[in-house]
Coordinates of all heavy atoms in Angstrom, one line a residue:
L70 N -164.2 -150.6 -61.1 CA -163.0 -150.6 -61.9 C -163.0 -151.8 -62.8 O -162.5 -151.7 -64.0 CB -161.8 -150.7 -60.9 CG -160.4 -150.8 -61.5 CD1 -160.2 -149.6 -62.4 CD2 -159.4 -150.9 -60.5
A71 N -163.6 -152.9 -62.4 CA -163.7 -154.1 -63.3 C -164.4 -153.8 -64.6 O -163.9 -154.1 -65.7 CB -164.3 -155.3 -62.6
S72 N -165.4 -153.0 -64.5 CA -166.2 -152.6 -65.7 C -165.3 -151.8 -66.6 O -165.4 -152.0 -67.8 CB -167.5 -151.9 -65.3 OG -168.2 -151.5 -66.4
L73 N -164.6 -150.9 -66.1 CA -163.7 -150.0 -66.9 C -162.7 -150.8 -67.6 O -162.3 -150.6 -68.8 CB -163.1 -148.9 -66.0 CG -164.0 -147.9 -65.4 CD1 -163.2 -147.0 -64.4 CD2 -164.7 -147.1 -66.5
L74 N -162.1 -151.8 -66.9 CA -161.1 -152.6 -67.5 C -161.6 -153.5 -68.6 O -160.9 -153.8 -69.6 CB -160.4 -153.5 -66.4 CG -159.6 -152.8 -65.4 CD1 -159.2 -153.7 -64.3 CD2 -158.4 -152.1 -66.0
L75 N -162.9 -153.9 -68.5 CA -163.5 -154.7 -69.5 C -164.0 -153.9 -70.7 O -164.0 -154.4 -71.9 CB -164.7 -155.5 -68.9 CG -164.4 -156.5 -67.9 CD1 -165.7 -157.0 -67.3 CD2 -163.7 -157.7 -68.6
D76 N -164.3 -152.7 -70.5 CA -164.9 -151.9 -71.6 C -163.9 -150.9 -72.2 O -164.2 -150.2 -73.2 CB -166.1 -151.0 -71.1 CG -167.2 -151.9 -70.7 OD1 -167.3 -153.1 -71.2 OD2 -168.0 -151.5 -69.8
A77 N -162.7 -150.9 -71.7 CA -161.7 -149.9 -72.2 C -161.4 -150.1 -73.7 O -161.1 -151.2 -74.2 CB -160.4 -150.0 -71.4
A78 N -161.5 -149.0 -74.4 CA -161.1 -149.0 -75.9 C -159.6 -149.0 -76.0 O -159.1 -149.4 -77.0 CB -161.8 -147.8 -76.6
D79 N -158.9 -148.4 -75.1 CA -157.5 -148.3 -75.1 C -156.9 -149.6 -74.8 O -157.1 -150.2 -73.6 CB -157.0 -147.2 -74.1 CG -155.5 -147.0 -74.1 OD1 -154.7 -147.9 -74.6 OD2 -155.1 -145.9 -73.6
P80 N -156.1 -150.3 -75.7 CA -155.5 -151.6 -75.4 C -154.6 -151.6 -74.1 O -154.5 -152.6 -73.5 CB -154.7 -151.9 -76.6 CG -155.1 -150.9 -77.7 CD -155.8 -149.8 -77.0
E81 N -154.1 -150.5 -73.8 CA -153.2 -150.4 -72.6 C -154.0 -150.5 -71.3 O -153.5 -150.9 -70.3 CB -152.3 -149.2 -72.6 CG -151.3 -149.3 -73.7 CD -150.2 -148.2 -73.6 OE1 -150.0 -147.7 -72.5 OE2 -149.7 -147.8 -74.6
L82 N -155.3 -150.1 -71.4 CA -156.2 -150.2 -70.2 C -157.0 -151.5 -70.2 O -157.4 -151.9 -69.1 CB -157.1 -149.0 -70.2 CG -156.4 -147.6 -70.0 CD1 -157.4 -146.5 -70.1 CD2 -155.6 -147.5 -68.8
Y83 N -157.3 -152.0 -71.3 CA -158.1 -153.2 -71.4 C -157.4 -154.4 -70.7 O -156.3 -154.7 -71.1 CB -158.4 -153.6 -72.8 CG -159.2 -154.9 -73.0 CD1 -160.5 -154.9 -72.7 CD2 -158.5 -156.0 -73.5 CE1 -161.2 -156.1 -72.9 CE2 -159.2 -157.2 -73.7 CZ -160.6 -157.2 -73.4 OH -161.3 -158.4 -73.5
D84 N -158.0 -155.0 -69.7 CA -157.3 -156.0 -68.9 C -158.4 -157.0 -68.3 O -158.8 -156.8 -67.1 CB -156.5 -155.4 -67.8 CG -155.6 -156.4 -67.1 OD1 -155.8 -157.7 -67.3 OD2 -154.7 -156.0 -66.4
P85 N -158.9 -157.9 -69.1 CA -160.0 -158.8 -68.6 C -159.5 -159.7 -67.5 O -160.3 -160.0 -66.6 CB -160.4 -159.6 -69.8 CG -159.3 -159.5 -70.8 CD -158.6 -158.2 -70.5
E86 N -158.3 -160.0 -67.4 CA -157.8 -160.9 -66.3 C -157.8 -160.1 -65.0 O -158.3 -160.7 -64.0 CB -156.4 -161.4 -66.6 CG -155.8 -162.3 -65.5 CD -156.7 -163.5 -65.2 OE1 -157.2 -164.1 -66.1 OE2 -156.8 -163.9 -64.0
R87 N -157.4 -158.9 -65.0 CA -157.4 -158.1 -63.8 C -158.9 -157.8 -63.4 O -159.3 -157.8 -62.2 CB -156.6 -156.8 -64.0 CG -156.6 -155.9 -62.7 CD -155.8 -156.5 -61.6 NE -155.8 -155.6 -60.5 CZ -156.0 -156.0 -59.2 NH1 -156.2 -157.3 -58.9 NH2 -156.0 -155.1 -58.3
A88 N -159.7 -157.6 -64.4 CA -161.1 -157.3 -64.2 C -161.7 -158.6 -63.5 O -162.6 -158.5 -62.6 CB -161.9 -157.0 -65.5
R89 N -161.4 -159.8 -64.0 CA -161.9 -161.0 -63.4 C -161.5 -161.1 -61.9 O -162.3 -161.4 -61.1 CB -161.4 -162.2 -64.2 CG -162.0 -163.5 -63.6 CD -161.4 -164.8 -64.1 NE -160.0 -164.8 -63.7 CZ -159.6 -165.2 -62.4 NH1 -160.5 -165.4 -61.5 NH2 -158.3 -165.2 -62.1
Q90 N -160.2 -160.8 -61.6 CA -159.8 -160.8 -60.3 C -160.5 -159.9 -59.4 O -161.0 -160.2 -58.3 CB -158.3 -160.5 -60.2 CG -157.4 -161.5 -60.9 CD -156.0 -161.0 -61.1 OE1 -155.6 -159.9 -60.8 NE2 -155.1 -161.9 -61.6
L91 N -160.7 -158.7 -59.9 CA -161.5 -157.7 -59.1 C -162.9 -158.0 -58.9 O -163.5 -157.9 -57.8 CB -161.4 -156.3 -59.7 CG -160.0 -155.7 -59.7 CD1 -159.9 -154.4 -60.7 CD2 -159.5 -155.3 -58.3
A92 N -163.6 -158.5 -59.9 CA -165.0 -158.9 -59.9 C -165.1 -160.1 -58.9 O -166.1 -160.2 -58.1 CB -165.5 -159.2 -61.2
E93 N -164.2 -161.0 -59.0 CA -164.3 -162.2 -58.1 C -164.2 -161.8 -56.7 O -164.9 -162.2 -55.8 CB -163.3 -163.2 -58.5 CG -163.4 -164.5 -57.7 CD -162.5 -165.6 -58.2 OE1 -161.3 -165.3 -58.6 OE2 -162.9 -166.8 -58.3
R94 N -163.3 -160.9 -56.4 CA -163.1 -160.4 -55.0 C -164.3 -159.6 -54.6 O -164.8 -159.8 -53.4 CB -161.8 -159.5 -55.0 CG -161.6 -158.9 -53.6 CD -161.2 -160.1 -52.6 NE -160.9 -159.5 -51.3 CZ -161.2 -160.1 -50.2 NH1 -161.8 -161.2 -50.2 NH2 -161.0 -159.5 -49.1
A95 N -164.9 -158.8 -55.4 CA -166.2 -158.1 -55.1 C -167.3 -159.2 -54.8 O -168.0 -158.9 -53.8 CB -166.6 -157.2 -56.2
C96 N -167.3 -160.2 -55.5 CA -168.3 -161.3 -55.2 C -168.1 -161.9 -53.9 O -169.0 -162.1 -53.1 CB -168.3 -162.3 -56.3 SG -169.0 -161.8 -57.9
E97 N -166.8 -162.2 -53.6 CA -166.5 -162.7 -52.3 C -166.9 -161.8 -51.2 O -167.4 -162.2 -50.1 CB -165.0 -163.1 -52.2 CG -164.6 -164.2 -53.1 CD -163.1 -164.3 -53.3 OE1 -162.3 -163.5 -52.8 OE2 -162.7 -165.3 -54.0
L98 N -166.5 -160.5 -51.3 CA -166.8 -159.5 -50.3 C -168.3 -159.3 -50.0 O -168.7 -159.0 -48.9 CB -166.2 -158.2 -50.6 CG -164.7 -158.1 -50.5 CD1 -164.1 -156.8 -51.1 CD2 -164.2 -158.3 -49.1
T99 N -169.1 -159.6 -51.1 CA -170.6 -159.4 -50.9 C -171.2 -160.8 -50.6 O -172.5 -160.9 -50.6 CB -171.2 -158.8 -52.2 OG1 -170.9 -159.7 -53.3 CG2 -170.7 -157.4 -52.4
G100 N -170.4 -161.8 -50.3 CA -171.0 -163.1 -50.0 C -171.7 -163.7 -51.2 O -172.6 -164.5 -51.0
W101 N -171.4 -163.4 -52.4 CA -172.0 -163.9 -53.6 C -173.5 -163.7 -53.5 O -174.3 -164.5 -53.9 CB -171.7 -165.4 -53.8 CG -170.2 -165.7 -54.1 CD1 -169.3 -165.9 -53.1 CD2 -169.6 -165.7 -55.3 NE1 -168.0 -166.0 -53.8 CE2 -168.2 -165.9 -55.1 CE3 -170.1 -165.5 -56.7 CZ2 -167.3 -166.0 -56.2 CZ3 -169.2 -165.6 -57.7 CH2 -167.8 -165.8 -57.4
R102 N -173.9 -162.5 -53.1 CA -175.3 -162.1 -53.0 C -175.6 -160.9 -53.8 O -176.7 -160.3 -53.7 CB -175.7 -161.8 -51.5 CG -175.4 -162.9 -50.5 CD -176.1 -164.2 -50.8 NE -177.5 -164.1 -50.8 CZ -178.3 -165.0 -51.4 NH1 -177.8 -166.1 -52.0 NH2 -179.6 -164.9 -51.4
D103 N -174.7 -160.4 -54.6 CA -174.9 -159.2 -55.5 C -174.9 -159.6 -56.9 O -173.8 -159.8 -57.5 CB -173.9 -158.1 -55.1 CG -174.1 -156.8 -55.9 OD1 -174.9 -156.8 -56.9 OD2 -173.5 -155.8 -55.5
P104 N -176.0 -159.7 -57.6 CA -176.0 -160.1 -59.0 C -175.3 -159.2 -59.9 O -174.7 -159.6 -60.9 CB -177.5 -160.1 -59.3 CG -178.2 -160.3 -58.1 CD -177.4 -159.6 -57.0
M105 N -175.2 -157.9 -59.6 CA -174.5 -157.0 -60.4 C -173.0 -157.3 -60.4 O -172.3 -157.2 -61.5 CB -174.7 -155.5 -60.0 CG -176.2 -155.1 -60.1 SD -176.9 -155.4 -61.7 CE -176.0 -154.1 -62.6
Q106 N -172.4 -157.6 -59.3 CA -171.0 -158.0 -59.2 C -170.8 -159.3 -60.0 O -169.8 -159.5 -60.7 CB -170.5 -158.1 -57.8 CG -170.6 -156.8 -57.0 CD -169.9 -155.7 -57.6 OE1 -168.8 -155.8 -58.2 NE2 -170.4 -154.5 -57.5
M107 N -171.7 -160.2 -59.8 CA -171.6 -161.5 -60.5 C -171.6 -161.4 -62.0 O -170.9 -162.1 -62.7 CB -172.7 -162.4 -59.9 CG -172.5 -162.7 -58.4 SD -174.0 -163.4 -57.7 CE -173.8 -165.1 -58.1
I108 N -172.4 -160.5 -62.5 CA -172.5 -160.3 -64.0 C -171.2 -159.7 -64.5 O -170.8 -160.1 -65.6 CB -173.7 -159.5 -64.4 CG1 -174.1 -159.8 -65.9 CG2 -173.6 -158.0 -64.2 CD1 -174.6 -161.1 -66.1
L109 N -170.5 -158.9 -63.7 CA -169.2 -158.4 -64.1 C -168.2 -159.5 -64.2 O -167.4 -159.6 -65.2 CB -168.7 -157.3 -63.2 CG -169.2 -155.9 -63.3 CD1 -168.8 -155.0 -62.2 CD2 -168.8 -155.4 -64.7
L110 N -168.3 -160.4 -63.2 CA -167.4 -161.6 -63.3 C -167.7 -162.5 -64.5 O -166.8 -162.9 -65.2 CB -167.5 -162.4 -62.0 CG -166.7 -163.7 -61.9 CD1 -165.2 -163.4 -62.0 CD2 -167.0 -164.3 -60.5
A111 N -169.0 -162.7 -64.7 CA -169.4 -163.5 -65.9 C -168.8 -162.8 -67.2 O -168.3 -163.5 -68.1 CB -170.9 -163.6 -65.9
E112 N -169.0 -161.5 -67.3 CA -168.5 -160.8 -68.5 C -167.0 -161.0 -68.7 O -166.5 -161.2 -69.8 CB -168.9 -159.4 -68.5 CG -168.5 -158.6 -69.7 CD -169.1 -159.1 -71.0 OE1 -170.3 -159.6 -71.0 OE2 -168.5 -159.0 -72.1
A113 N -166.3 -160.9 -67.6 CA -164.8 -161.1 -67.6 C -164.5 -162.5 -68.1 O -163.6 -162.7 -68.9 CB -164.2 -160.9 -66.3
E114 N -165.2 -163.5 -67.6 CA -165.0 -164.9 -68.0 C -165.2 -165.1 -69.5 O -164.4 -165.7 -70.2 CB -165.9 -165.9 -67.2 CG -165.6 -166.0 -65.8 CD -164.2 -166.6 -65.5 OE1 -163.5 -167.1 -66.4 OE2 -163.9 -166.7 -64.3
V115 N -166.3 -164.4 -70.0 CA -166.6 -164.5 -71.5 C -165.4 -163.9 -72.3 O -164.9 -164.4 -73.2 CB -167.9 -163.8 -71.8 CG1 -168.0 -163.5 -73.3 CG2 -169.1 -164.7 -71.4
Q116 N -165.0 -162.7 -71.8 CA -163.9 -162.0 -72.5 C -162.6 -162.8 -72.5 O -161.7 -162.7 -73.4 CB -163.7 -160.6 -72.0 CG -164.9 -159.8 -72.5 CD -164.7 -158.3 -72.2 OE1 -163.6 -157.8 -72.2 NE2 -165.8 -157.6 -72.0
L117 N -162.5 -163.6 -71.5 CA -161.3 -164.5 -71.4 C -161.5 -165.8 -72.1 O -160.6 -166.6 -72.1 CB -160.9 -164.7 -69.9 CG -160.3 -163.5 -69.2 CD1 -160.3 -163.7 -67.7 CD2 -158.9 -163.2 -69.7
G118 N -162.7 -166.0 -72.6 CA -162.9 -167.2 -73.5 C -163.6 -168.4 -72.8 O -163.7 -169.4 -73.3
D119 N -164.1 -168.1 -71.5 CA -164.8 -169.2 -70.8 C -166.3 -168.9 -70.7 O -166.7 -168.6 -69.6 CB -164.1 -169.4 -69.4 CG -164.5 -170.8 -68.8 OD1 -165.4 -171.4 -69.3 OD2 -163.8 -171.2 -67.8
A120 N -167.0 -169.1 -71.8 CA -168.4 -168.8 -71.7 C -169.2 -169.8 -70.9 O -170.2 -169.5 -70.3 CB -169.0 -168.8 -73.2
A121 N -168.7 -171.1 -70.8 CA -169.3 -172.0 -69.9 C -169.3 -171.6 -68.5 O -170.3 -171.7 -67.8 CB -168.7 -173.4 -70.1
E122 N -168.2 -171.1 -68.0 CA -168.1 -170.6 -66.6 C -169.0 -169.4 -66.5 O -169.7 -169.2 -65.4 CB -166.7 -170.2 -66.3 CG -166.5 -169.7 -64.8 CD -166.9 -170.7 -63.8 OE1 -167.1 -171.9 -64.0 OE2 -167.1 -170.2 -62.6
A123 N -169.1 -168.5 -67.5 CA -170.0 -167.3 -67.4 C -171.4 -167.7 -67.3 O -172.1 -167.1 -66.5 CB -169.8 -166.5 -68.7
V124 N -171.8 -168.8 -68.0 CA -173.2 -169.3 -67.8 C -173.5 -169.8 -66.4 O -174.5 -169.4 -65.8 CB -173.5 -170.4 -68.9 CG1 -174.8 -171.1 -68.6 CG2 -173.5 -169.8 -70.3
R125 N -172.5 -170.5 -65.8 CA -172.7 -170.9 -64.5 C -172.8 -169.8 -63.5 O -173.6 -169.8 -62.6 CB -171.5 -171.8 -64.0 CG -171.6 -173.2 -64.6 CD -170.5 -174.2 -64.1 NE -169.2 -173.8 -64.5 CZ -168.6 -174.3 -65.7 NH1 -169.3 -175.0 -66.5 NH2 -167.4 -173.9 -66.0
I126 N -172.0 -168.7 -63.7 CA -172.1 -167.6 -62.8 C -173.4 -166.8 -63.0 O -174.0 -166.4 -62.0 CB -170.9 -166.6 -63.1 CG1 -169.6 -167.3 -62.7 CG2 -171.0 -165.3 -62.4 CD1 -168.3 -166.6 -63.2
V127 N -173.9 -166.7 -64.2 CA -175.1 -166.0 -64.4 C -176.3 -166.8 -63.8 O -177.2 -166.3 -63.3 CB -175.4 -165.7 -65.9 CG1 -176.8 -165.2 -66.2 CG2 -174.4 -164.7 -66.5
D128 N -176.2 -168.1 -63.9 CA -177.2 -169.0 -63.3 C -177.3 -168.7 -61.8 O -178.3 -168.6 -61.2 CB -177.0 -170.5 -63.5 CG -177.4 -170.9 -64.9 OD1 -178.1 -170.2 -65.6 OD2 -176.9 -172.0 -65.4
R129 N -176.1 -168.6 -61.2 CA -176.0 -168.3 -59.8 C -176.6 -166.9 -59.5 O -177.3 -166.7 -58.5 CB -174.6 -168.4 -59.3 CG -174.4 -168.4 -57.8 CD -172.9 -168.7 -57.5 NE -172.7 -168.6 -56.1 CZ -171.6 -168.8 -55.5 NH1 -170.5 -169.2 -56.2 NH2 -171.4 -168.8 -54.2
A130 N -176.2 -165.9 -60.3 CA -176.7 -164.6 -60.1 C -178.3 -164.5 -60.3 O -178.9 -163.8 -59.5 CB -176.1 -163.6 -61.1
L131 N -178.8 -165.3 -61.2 CA -180.2 -165.3 -61.4 C -180.9 -165.9 -60.2 O -182.0 -165.4 -59.8 CB -180.5 -166.1 -62.7 CG -182.0 -166.1 -63.2 CD1 -182.5 -164.6 -63.3 CD2 -182.1 -166.8 -64.5
A132 N -180.4 -167.0 -59.7 CA -180.9 -167.6 -58.5 C -181.0 -166.6 -57.3 O -182.0 -166.5 -56.6 CB -180.2 -168.9 -58.1
V133 N -179.9 -165.9 -57.1 CA -179.8 -164.8 -56.1 C -180.9 -163.8 -56.3 O -181.6 -163.3 -55.4 CB -178.4 -164.2 -56.0 CG1 -178.4 -163.0 -55.1 CG2 -177.4 -165.3 -55.5
A134 N -181.0 -163.3 -57.6 CA -181.9 -162.3 -57.9 C -183.4 -162.7 -57.7 O -184.2 -162.0 -57.1 CB -181.7 -161.9 -59.4
E135 N -183.7 -164.0 -58.0 CA -185.0 -164.5 -57.8 C -185.3 -164.6 -56.3 O -186.4 -164.3 -55.9 CB -185.2 -165.8 -58.6 CG -185.2 -165.5 -60.1 CD -185.3 -166.8 -60.9 OE1 -185.0 -167.9 -60.4 OE2 -185.5 -166.7 -62.1
Q136 N -184.4 -165.1 -55.6 CA -184.6 -165.3 -54.1 C -184.7 -164.0 -53.4 O -185.4 -163.9 -52.4 CB -183.4 -166.1 -53.5 CG -183.4 -167.6 -54.0 CD -182.1 -168.3 -53.6 OE1 -181.2 -167.7 -53.0 NE2 -182.0 -169.6 -53.9
G137 N -184.0 -163.0 -53.9 CA -183.9 -161.7 -53.2 C -185.0 -160.8 -53.7 O -185.0 -159.6 -53.2
G138 N -185.9 -161.2 -54.6 CA -186.9 -160.3 -55.0 C -186.4 -159.1 -55.9 O -187.0 -158.0 -55.8
A139 N -185.4 -159.4 -56.6 CA -184.8 -158.3 -57.5 C -185.8 -157.9 -58.5 O -186.7 -158.6 -58.9 CB -183.5 -158.8 -58.2
P140 N -185.7 -156.6 -59.0 CA -186.6 -156.1 -60.0 C -186.7 -157.1 -61.2 O -185.7 -157.7 -61.6 CB -186.1 -154.8 -60.4 CG -185.2 -154.4 -59.3 CD -184.7 -155.7 -58.7
A141 N -187.9 -157.1 -61.8 CA -188.1 -157.9 -63.0 C -187.1 -157.5 -64.1 O -186.6 -158.4 -64.9 CB -189.5 -157.8 -63.5
S142 N -186.8 -156.2 -64.2 CA -185.8 -155.8 -65.3 C -184.4 -156.4 -65.1 O -183.8 -156.8 -66.1 CB -185.7 -154.3 -65.3 OG -185.3 -153.8 -64.0
L143 N -184.0 -156.6 -63.9 CA -182.7 -157.2 -63.6 C -182.8 -158.7 -64.0 O -181.9 -159.2 -64.6 CB -182.3 -157.0 -62.1 CG -181.0 -157.8 -61.7 CD1 -179.8 -157.3 -62.6 CD2 -180.7 -157.5 -60.3
R144 N -183.8 -159.3 -63.6 CA -184.0 -160.8 -63.9 C -184.0 -161.0 -65.4 O -183.4 -161.9 -65.9 CB -185.2 -161.3 -63.2 CG -185.1 -161.3 -61.7 CD -186.1 -162.1 -61.0 NE -187.5 -161.9 -61.4 CZ -188.3 -160.9 -60.8 NH1 -187.9 -160.2 -59.9 NH2 -189.5 -160.8 -61.3
R145 N -184.7 -160.1 -66.1 CA -184.7 -160.2 -67.6 C -183.3 -160.0 -68.2 O -182.9 -160.7 -69.1 CB -185.7 -159.1 -68.2 CG -187.1 -159.6 -68.2 CD -188.0 -158.6 -69.1 NE -187.9 -157.2 -68.7 CZ -188.7 -156.7 -67.7 NH1 -189.6 -157.4 -67.1 NH2 -188.5 -155.4 -67.4
A146 N -182.6 -159.0 -67.7 CA -181.3 -158.8 -68.2 C -180.3 -159.9 -67.9 O -179.5 -160.3 -68.8 CB -180.7 -157.5 -67.5
L147 N -180.5 -160.6 -66.8 CA -179.7 -161.8 -66.5 C -180.0 -162.9 -67.4 O -179.1 -163.6 -67.9 CB -179.9 -162.2 -65.0 CG -179.2 -161.3 -64.0 CD1 -179.7 -161.6 -62.6 CD2 -177.7 -161.3 -64.0
R148 N -181.3 -163.1 -67.7 CA -181.7 -164.2 -68.6 C -181.2 -163.9 -70.0 O -180.7 -164.8 -70.7 CB -183.2 -164.3 -68.6 CG -183.8 -165.0 -67.4 CD -185.3 -165.2 -67.5 NE -185.8 -165.5 -66.2 CZ -186.5 -164.6 -65.5 NH1 -186.8 -163.4 -66.0 NH2 -187.0 -164.9 -64.3
A149 N -181.2 -162.6 -70.4 CA -180.6 -162.3 -71.7 C -179.1 -162.5 -71.8 O -178.6 -163.1 -72.8 CB -180.9 -160.8 -72.0
K150 N -178.4 -162.2 -70.7 CA -177.0 -162.5 -70.7 C -176.7 -164.0 -70.7 O -175.8 -164.4 -71.4 CB -176.3 -161.9 -69.4 CG -176.1 -160.4 -69.6 CD -175.0 -160.1 -70.6 CE -174.7 -158.7 -70.7 NZ -173.7 -158.4 -71.8
R151 N -177.5 -164.7 -70.0 CA -177.4 -166.2 -70.0 C -177.5 -166.7 -71.4 O -176.7 -167.5 -71.9 CB -178.4 -166.8 -69.1 CG -178.1 -168.3 -69.0 CD -179.2 -169.1 -68.3 NE -178.7 -170.4 -68.0 CZ -178.5 -171.4 -68.9 NH1 -178.6 -171.2 -70.2 NH2 -178.0 -172.6 -68.5
S152 N -178.5 -166.3 -72.2 CA -178.7 -166.7 -73.5 C -177.6 -166.3 -74.4 O -177.1 -167.1 -75.2 CB -180.0 -166.1 -74.1 OG -181.1 -166.6 -73.4
E153 N -177.1 -165.1 -74.2 CA -176.0 -164.6 -75.0 C -174.7 -165.5 -74.8 O -174.1 -165.9 -75.7 CB -175.7 -163.2 -74.6 CG -174.4 -162.6 -75.3 CD -174.1 -161.2 -74.8 OE1 -175.0 -160.5 -74.2 OE2 -172.9 -160.8 -74.9
Y154 N -174.4 -165.7 -73.5 CA -173.2 -166.5 -73.2 C -173.4 -168.0 -73.6 O -172.4 -168.6 -74.0 CB -172.9 -166.4 -71.7 CG -172.6 -165.0 -71.2 CD1 -172.8 -164.7 -69.8 CD2 -172.2 -164.0 -72.0 CE1 -172.5 -163.4 -69.4 CE2 -171.9 -162.7 -71.6 CZ -172.1 -162.4 -70.2 OH -171.8 -161.2 -69.8
A155 N -174.6 -168.5 -73.4 CA -174.8 -169.9 -73.9 C -174.6 -170.1 -75.4 O -174.0 -171.1 -75.8 CB -176.2 -170.4 -73.5
G156 N -175.0 -169.0 -76.1 CA -174.7 -169.1 -77.6 C -173.2 -169.0 -77.9 O -172.7 -169.7 -78.8
K157 N -172.5 -168.3 -77.1 CA -171.0 -168.2 -77.3 C -170.4 -169.5 -77.0 O -169.5 -170.0 -77.6 CB -170.4 -167.1 -76.5 CG -170.7 -165.7 -76.9 CD -170.1 -164.7 -76.1 CE -170.6 -163.3 -76.6 NZ -169.6 -162.4 -76.8
R158 N -170.9 -170.2 -75.9 CA -170.4 -171.5 -75.5 C -170.5 -172.5 -76.6 O -169.7 -173.3 -76.9 CB -171.0 -172.0 -74.2 CG -170.5 -173.3 -73.8 CD -171.1 -173.7 -72.5 NE -172.6 -173.9 -72.6 CZ -173.4 -174.1 -71.6 NH1 -173.0 -174.2 -70.4 NH2 -174.7 -174.2 -71.8
T159 N -171.7 -172.4 -77.3 CA -172.0 -173.4 -78.3 C -171.1 -173.1 -79.5 O -170.5 -174.0 -80.1 CB -173.5 -173.2 -78.8 OG1 -174.3 -173.5 -77.6 CG2 -173.8 -174.2 -79.9
R160 N -170.9 -171.8 -79.9 CA -170.1 -171.5 -81.1 C -168.6 -171.6 -80.8 O -167.9 -172.0 -81.7 CB -170.4 -170.0 -81.5 CG -171.8 -169.9 -82.1 CD -171.9 -168.5 -82.7 NE -171.6 -167.4 -81.8 CZ -172.5 -166.9 -81.0 NH1 -173.8 -167.3 -80.9 NH2 -172.2 -165.9 -80.2
E161 N -168.2 -171.3 -79.6 CA -166.7 -171.2 -79.4 C -166.2 -172.3 -78.5 O -165.0 -172.4 -78.3 CB -166.4 -169.8 -78.7 CG -166.7 -168.7 -79.6 CD -166.7 -167.4 -78.9 OE1 -166.2 -167.3 -77.7 OE2 -167.1 -166.3 -79.5
G162 N -167.0 -173.1 -78.0 CA -166.5 -174.2 -77.1 C -166.3 -173.9 -75.7 O -166.2 -174.8 -74.9
G163 N -166.3 -172.6 -75.3 CA -166.2 -172.2 -73.9 C -165.0 -172.6 -73.2 O -165.0 -172.8 -72.0
S164 N -163.8 -172.7 -73.8 CA -162.6 -173.0 -73.1 C -161.6 -171.8 -73.2 O -161.7 -171.1 -74.2 CB -162.0 -174.3 -73.6 OG -161.7 -174.1 -75.0
R165 N -160.8 -171.7 -72.2 CA -159.8 -170.6 -72.2 C -158.6 -171.0 -73.1 O -158.2 -172.0 -73.3 CB -159.2 -170.4 -70.8 CG -160.2 -169.6 -70.0 CD -159.6 -169.2 -68.7 NE -160.6 -168.6 -68.0 CZ -160.6 -168.2 -66.7 NH1 -159.5 -168.5 -66.1 NH2 -161.5 -167.7 -66.1

């Protein structure tokens, strides 16, 4: 559901704050051990204007992925997201 709320083209459905809440709860329920849930939370943070927090979350997701032997494709995707979010932090200041 968080992904749908973040990607909704319809302004009435688009709700990054609710997506952040849902993604954070999913991370809690998985013990912060699921990089896919963590990347949704990071994306919500970016859409809410906090790229610095998104970078911290992606760093945590990458550590989990590396420790858990996640596929190389997932680790590459996480590194790409980190670079993307770090660039936003530099350009936008990373504050809400």
Side-chain angles (χ1 to χ4, degrees):
L70 183 56
S72 180
L73 294 173
L74 295 171
L75 290 171
D76 295 336
D79 182 340
E81 290 191 29
L82 296 176
Y83 176 73
D84 189 347
E86 180 58 39
R87 181 68 178 136
R89 186 193 62 76
Q90 294 167 357
L91 292 169
E93 186 170 39
R94 182 66 179 139
C96 289
E97 291 167 355
L98 290 171
T99 60
W101 293 89
R102 305 301 303 161
D103 184 343
M105 298 305 292
Q106 299 303 322
M107 296 164 80
I108 201 69
L109 280 174
L110 177 57
E112 183 62 30
E114 292 292 355
V115 163
Q116 290 189 27
L117 288 166
D119 196 346
E122 180 63 14
V124 168
R125 284 189 289 275
I126 293 166
V127 172
D128 283 343
R129 189 172 180 181
L131 188 53
V133 167
E135 289 173 347
Q136 291 169 359
S142 59
L143 175 57
R144 295 191 312 269
R145 278 192 303 274
L147 289 168
R148 286 187 197 101
K150 280 292 182 186
R151 188 193 191 288
S152 294
E153 176 187 336
Y154 297 159
K157 289 180 186 229
R158 181 177 61 187
T159 301
R160 289 189 305 273
E161 297 170 7
S164 60
R165 284 188 184 169

